């Protein structure tokens, strides 16, 4: 099915609960990374409400356990089960352990975790620049490792949470880790988010025969999230001046999770793959940043870029 064939009443103000209303996910299993806060919690809540058994893949299992306790007290009867597993995307050993511990099919994988605008250049234990290492390479290793489980589901969906921040930078293949150019928090974040989109494009093409679909999305401008935990108030206040990019209208956490849930579970996008969505709809392609507050850069959907990134990523996670 092409995106143009989809039709639904959802939009920028739609909430995750509205997306999931009437959807039955009983018998399905889902993983949501970064489900210890923000839209990850609301994504997990929505999927469990529809009956899916949801694994919260989080750095802190104590924090994850608190989320599970809170959600279990709120979920309606007949909801799916919730459980917590440790996953630190900067630490490859935890990714390997998570994959090794998984058994059986996996129907939904929401790659939601991320870091944004680290003020100083830092590197993961294996030497990668942290934003690229966490936001892209960690999720790449996780998803490739879980491919057999996704294929076994016979119709699995991968959801890659990207950002309008991908407009800050394409993937700079010749200097992924800022070993030559001066480090910049925003171009670093931008290339990691571009990588999130390109991963969906690459997975959609490579894994179609397994019945796997993969799409990326921009959740929206959401203040109540831990994504900006590394930023001080001055950085946030100077966002527009620092990046030259205006912020789109604000959303609640419940609205911010809606596009993730749409791509993870809604029948309205059944069979749609390799696309980028925002406000619960396919995005238009833009060819320059200018004053854009929406849209997807053409370089983020480029198949040649996706193929190159896949090959580079495979080499880096070996």
């Amino acid at each position: 099915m092409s995106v143009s064939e989809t039709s639904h009443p959802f939009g920028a103000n739609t909430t995750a609960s509205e997306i999931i209303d009437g959807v039955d996910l009983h018998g399905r299993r889902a993983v949501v990374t970064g489900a210890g806060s923000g839209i990850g919690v609301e994504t997990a809540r929505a999927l469990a409400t529809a009956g899916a058994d949801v694994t919260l893949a989080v750095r802190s299992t104590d924090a994850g356990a608190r989320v599970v306790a809170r959600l279990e007290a709120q979920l309606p009867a007949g909801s799916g089960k919730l459980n917590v597993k440790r996953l630190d995307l900067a630490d490859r050993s935890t990714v390997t352990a998570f994959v090794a511990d998984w058994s059986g099919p996996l129907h939904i994988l929401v790659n939601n975790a991320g870091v944004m605008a680290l003020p100083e250049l830092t590197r993961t234990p294996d030497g990668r620049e942290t934003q690229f290492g966490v936001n892209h390479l960690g999720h790449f290793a996780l998803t490739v490792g879980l491919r057999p489980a996704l294929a076994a589901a016979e119709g699995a969906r991968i959801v890659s949470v990207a950002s309008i921040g991908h407009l800050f930078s394409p993937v700079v293949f010749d200097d992924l880790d800022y070993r030559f150019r001066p480090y910049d928090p925003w171009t670093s974040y931008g290339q990691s988010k571009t990588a999130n989109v390109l991963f969906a494009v690459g997975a959609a093409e490579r894994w179609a025969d397994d019945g796997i679909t993969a799409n990326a999305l921009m959740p929206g401008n959401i203040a109540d999230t831990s994504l900006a935990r590394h930023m001080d108030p001055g950085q946030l206040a100077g966002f527009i001046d620092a990046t030259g990019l205006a912020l789109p209208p604000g959303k609640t956490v419940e609205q911010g999770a809606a596009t993730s849930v749409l791509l993870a579970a809604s029948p309205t996008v059944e069979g749609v793959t390799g696309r980028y969505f925002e406000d619960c709809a396919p995005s238009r392609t833009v060819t320059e940043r200018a004053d854009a507050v929406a849209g997807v850069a053409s370089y983020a959907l480029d198949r040649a870029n996706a193929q190159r990134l896949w090959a580079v990523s495979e080499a880096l996670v070996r």
Side-chain angles (χ1 to χ4, degrees), residues 275-299:
R275 309 306 173 102
Y276 177 91
F277 280 63
E278 57 195 334
D279 294 339
C280 298
S283 300
R284 64 185 178 89
T285 302
V286 297
T287 56
E288 60 180 307
R289 190 166 76 185
D291 297 321
V293 293
V296 57
S298 53
Y299 56 69

Side-chain angles (χ1 to χ4, degrees), residues 135-184:
N135 295 347
H136 170 61
L137 289 176
H139 280 128
F140 179 87
L142 175 70
T143 311
V144 170
L146 291 172
R147 178 187 176 181
L150 292 161
E154 299 181 348
R157 299 189 187 189
I158 299 168
V159 180
S160 185
V161 179
S163 168
I164 192 175
H166 81 275
L167 298 178
F168 300 156
S169 177
V171 173
V172 181
F173 289 100
D174 293 325
D175 191 21
L176 294 172
D177 296 310
Y178 288 82
R179 299 189 184 278
F180 294 92
R181 53 191 168 134
Y183 175 74
D184 177 78

